[in-house]
Amino acid sequence: MAELTIVFRLRFAVAVTIALTLVLAFQARQAFAEEGVPSEYIVQMEHDATPAQGQELVVALGGQVTSPDIPVINGFGAMLEDDAAEELSNSVGVKAVTPNAETTSEPAGTADAGGPALSGTVRCPYADATTRPFRMGRTALLDVHPLQSLPFLRQPLQHTTRADRAWSRATGRGVGVAVIDTGIAGDLPDFVTNGQSRVIATAVTNPCAKTANDEVGHGTHVAGLIAGNSLNYSGLRKLAGRYMGIAPRANLVSVKVSDDDGDTTVLDVINGLQFVVDHKDQLGIRVVNLSLSSTVAESYKTDPLDAAVEAAWFSGIVVVAAAGNDGAAANAVSYAPGNDPYVISAGALDDRGSSRLDDDVLAPWSSRGVTQDGVQKPEVLAPGTRLIAALAPRSDFEALCRRCMVSKTYFRLSGTSMSSAVVSGVAALVVDENPGMTPNQVKGAIMSTLRSVPGVGSAVDANAALDGTGSANAGLVPNSLIDPATGGIDWGRASFRRASFRDASGSPFGALWTRASYRCDCGPDGSGQVDPTRVSFRRVSFRRTVDFNR
């Protein structure tokens, strides 16, 4: 396996000849060696305690609160010296004190990307903000049915997953899929139907982000695999119908948890999930895609990110997560959220460029194994190598891999990020066909209809899943923050305010091609603006997998 991992920084450009993998993954921040320098922690309170009580303890221990209350985990963020964090973890009412993890891509066979740890006073990282709104020109004025793309398809993805057969019954129309990532270039023709963007809302939960645009390119590619529709390229006939998403009529909600360099933290992601839960009814969100994972191996029963995804699951949202790109390494599947038994974790198949299954192999870097809680992961496999989908205009992907570009409009990537997106699209098709299904039933429908790949595992079958039956997750024990009686966070015994989102566009539902834009109130000062001296957001290094054999 000829894989090369390159640390991603915005000013780092390189020309390569290959397929690119960029998968968000969570990596624990390295603490400073010198004594007395604080680190950021995620504090979770017991069911019968409140974040306010924990925050009083933090102040008493000489620490600093760095985030608003986060209902989905009954907690908050705080800067503490190591000794104070240990003392806090032993305090009455405190459930867990966990180092805030950074998110990095985690490609196959790679070492830790590293990156500097930040002190309590943090400056936002460098950003060149290269992406600008794309002028669409002419796009299709009619809602062209995806079946019309079949003669023009240029990759086997739809045949391998049997999405092409499912489209006669379900296309994802009206189903909201939230993409927690680096943003989405929502004005691309791939996401426009009848002159209106199907990216119906954007949220920004990283206070260092200067724009809701996708400056990196990862989120747009993921969104394209979920719901891209290239039939809308009426002005570029040669592209029309070539590269379709799995659910090409689904609505998308862009939840940008990274800054414009692609840096993010666990708290940013949890706040993104909080936004999804808070606005699921308003925006019709039924599926959420998390092409990321934590590098802190912790039981799903106590991990704060796992608590957040379970809260989303029990609120009626199907959660799909990337399995990770650590291959068969020890603890390869022990990281949130892919280690959570409730969510659907997706591993990557290499379809070798054909629509047959009998020649498919497991991508060697695709994570697999048993979690620390004894759960076999991933549950499902989907194509994840050399997949072509939408490219965010003037994003960093353009500079980082010129030869990965296809017709200057699409981009070729590999990774379980891509597999997760494919499975999210399948989930949207199942919800379209069966709108009354619960997340457990959607997972049951997908799991009961998997296609066997000889010697490899079981692959998703979009067409069969439409008629799948059964309910998954019976008998599982939820995260300890979940109330077993209700299946959600114990709101009655936990007194805290919800995470606050500010409109970033001037008026609700008025942001250009989107319906809404929000920004998280993370550490606001007296004027309501984010005060960088009061918040600590640890930096993230996005890493790429470069396969010179492809």
Side-chain angles (χ1 to χ4, degrees):
M1 176 178 63
E3 297 287 334
L4 172 64
T5 298
I6 304 175
V7 176
F8 178 88
R9 295 258 57 92
L10 259 182
R11 291 169 287 182
F12 185 65
V14 61
V16 285
T17 65
I18 38 49
L20 168 74
T21 299
L22 176 58
V23 183
L24 290 170
F26 284 111
Q27 173 188 19
R29 183 176 112 191
Q30 298 176 342
F32 280 115
E34 59 265 33
E35 183 178 359
V37 177
S39 299
E40 190 171 35
Y41 292 88
I42 299 173
V43 182
Q44 299 177 78
M45 305 301 293
E46 297 284 3
H47 285 304
D48 54 357
T50 69
Q53 293 170 329
Q55 290 162 3
E56 290 179 1
L57 293 172
V58 167
V59 173
L61 291 169
Q64 186 177 19
V65 176
T66 62
S67 82
D69 303 346
I70 307 173
V72 291
I73 63 168
N74 192 21
F76 58 94
M79 290 293 293
L80 290 160
E81 295 183 10
D82 292 344
D83 290 345
E86 183 176 358
E87 184 174 349
L88 179 65
S89 68
N90 294 322
S91 300
V92 175
V94 176
K95 178 172 184 53
V97 179
T98 307
N100 184 19
E102 301 173 338
T103 65
T104 66
S105 67
E106 192 64 30
T110 63
D112 182 359
L118 301 185
S119 63
T121 301
V122 179
R123 293 184 298 272
C124 291
Y126 175 87
D128 62 2
T130 55
T131 300
R132 298 292 181 271
F134 176 69
R135 293 187 180 276
M136 293 180 291
R138 291 187 298 120
T139 59
L141 297 179
L142 300 176
D143 185 7
V144 183
H145 198 284
L147 286 174
Q148 295 191 29
S149 70
L150 297 186
F152 309 109
L153 293 173
R154 290 295 183 270
Q155 63 180 338
L157 174 62
Q158 287 73 27
H159 302 300
T160 303
T161 59
R162 291 184 172 174
D164 55 347
R165 301 187 184 187
W167 287 344
S168 63
R169 299 170 57 189
T171 58
R173 185 195 292 273
V175 178
V177 182
V179 180
I180 293 182
D181 215 291
T182 63
I184 302 174
D187 46 1
L188 287 174
D190 302 78
F191 307 124
V192 175
T193 299
N194 293 329
Q196 299 294 320
S197 177
R198 286 181 292 109
V199 181
I200 60 173
T202 66
V204 181
T205 64
N206 190 311
C208 290
K210 298 177 181 178
T211 172
N213 290 335
D214 183 5
E215 306 290 339
V216 178
H218 186 266
T220 297
H221 192 275
V222 166
L225 289 173
I226 295 171
N229 188 342
S230 60
L231 286 170
N232 288 329
Y233 274 96
S234 61
L236 296 170
R237 293 292 184 184
K238 67 177 182 178
L239 295 176
R242 285 193 173 190
Y243 307 112
M244 302 287 287
I246 299 298
R249 281 175 163 169
N251 289 332
L252 294 163
V253 175
S254 173
V255 185
K256 182 173 177 177
V257 296
S258 75
D259 62 17
D260 298 331
D261 291 331
D263 296 348
T264 189
T265 72
V266 169
L267 283 173
D268 297 328
V269 176
I270 291 175
N271 274 322
L273 283 163
Q274 183 71 64
F275 173 87
V276 169
V277 171
D278 288 348
H279 296 274
K280 65 182 179 66
D281 295 331
Q282 181 185 21
L283 300 174
I285 300 172
R286 296 294 306 277
V287 181
V288 60
N289 183 82
L290 289 157
S291 288
L292 50 84
S293 65
S294 172
T295 57
V296 178
E298 183 176 348
S299 169
Y300 84 90
K301 297 177 183 178
T302 58
D303 190 286
L305 181 55
D306 283 322
V309 297
E310 286 185 25
W313 187 276
F314 293 128
S315 75
I317 301 170
V318 179
V319 181
V320 183
N325 298 334
D326 289 323
N331 293 330
V333 292
S334 295
Y335 306 98
N339 70 334
D340 196 295
Y342 286 93
V343 310
I344 305 173
S345 301
L349 279 177
D350 184 348
D351 61 23
R352 297 188 172 185
S354 81
S355 58
R356 297 160 41 204
L357 282 182
D358 58 8
D359 65 346
D360 286 8
V361 297
L362 183 69
W365 35 260
S366 182
S367 292
R368 65 269 192 189
V370 179
T371 73
Q372 61 270 66
D373 297 299
V375 180
Q376 187 75 40
K377 288 284 186 174
E379 291 95 341
V380 61
L381 299 176
T385 57
R386 303 177 303 281
L387 297 188
I388 299 172
L391 171 65
R394 291 176 292 279
S395 64
D396 296 298
F397 274 6
E398 287 191 13
L400 288 168
C401 186
R402 292 286 184 183
R403 291 202 178 183
C404 298
M405 296 174 63
V406 179
S407 299
K408 298 182 180 181
T409 310
Y410 292 93
F411 205 77
R412 182 180 289 107
L413 284 173
S414 298
T416 56
S417 278
M418 287 63 252
S419 306
S420 177
V422 170
V423 176
S424 289
V426 172
L429 294 180
V430 174
V431 172
D432 181 11
E433 179 69 7
N434 307 280
M437 277 190 171
T438 66
N440 284 348
Q441 291 171 328
V442 172
K443 183 176 180 180
I446 292 173
M447 296 296 296
S448 66
T449 56
L450 297 177
R451 301 170 70 191
S452 176
V453 183
V456 178
S458 299
V460 68
D461 186 331
N463 188 50
L466 300 183
D467 297 311
T469 59
S471 182
N473 300 337
L476 292 178
V477 177
N479 186 286
S480 55
L481 285 178
I482 303 296
D483 185 346
T486 64
I489 294 293
D490 189 347
W491 303 109
R493 288 185 292 166
S495 176
F496 41 73
R497 63 182 178 88
R498 289 180 175 270
S500 175
F501 292 86
R502 293 183 281 118
D503 174 35
S505 64
S507 62
F509 303 107
L512 297 177
W513 44 263
T514 65
R515 282 177 51 191
S517 179
Y518 302 82
R519 185 174 296 273
C520 173
D521 272 328
C522 298
D525 62 16
S527 68
Q529 300 299 310
V530 172
D531 182 352
T533 66
R534 298 175 59 192
V535 297
S536 175
F537 292 89
R538 288 182 285 150
R539 297 176 66 181
V540 173
S541 296
F542 277 76
R543 293 183 289 169
R544 316 186 290 153
T545 297
V546 178
D547 183 352
F548 287 98
N549 291 334
R550 298 292 189 270

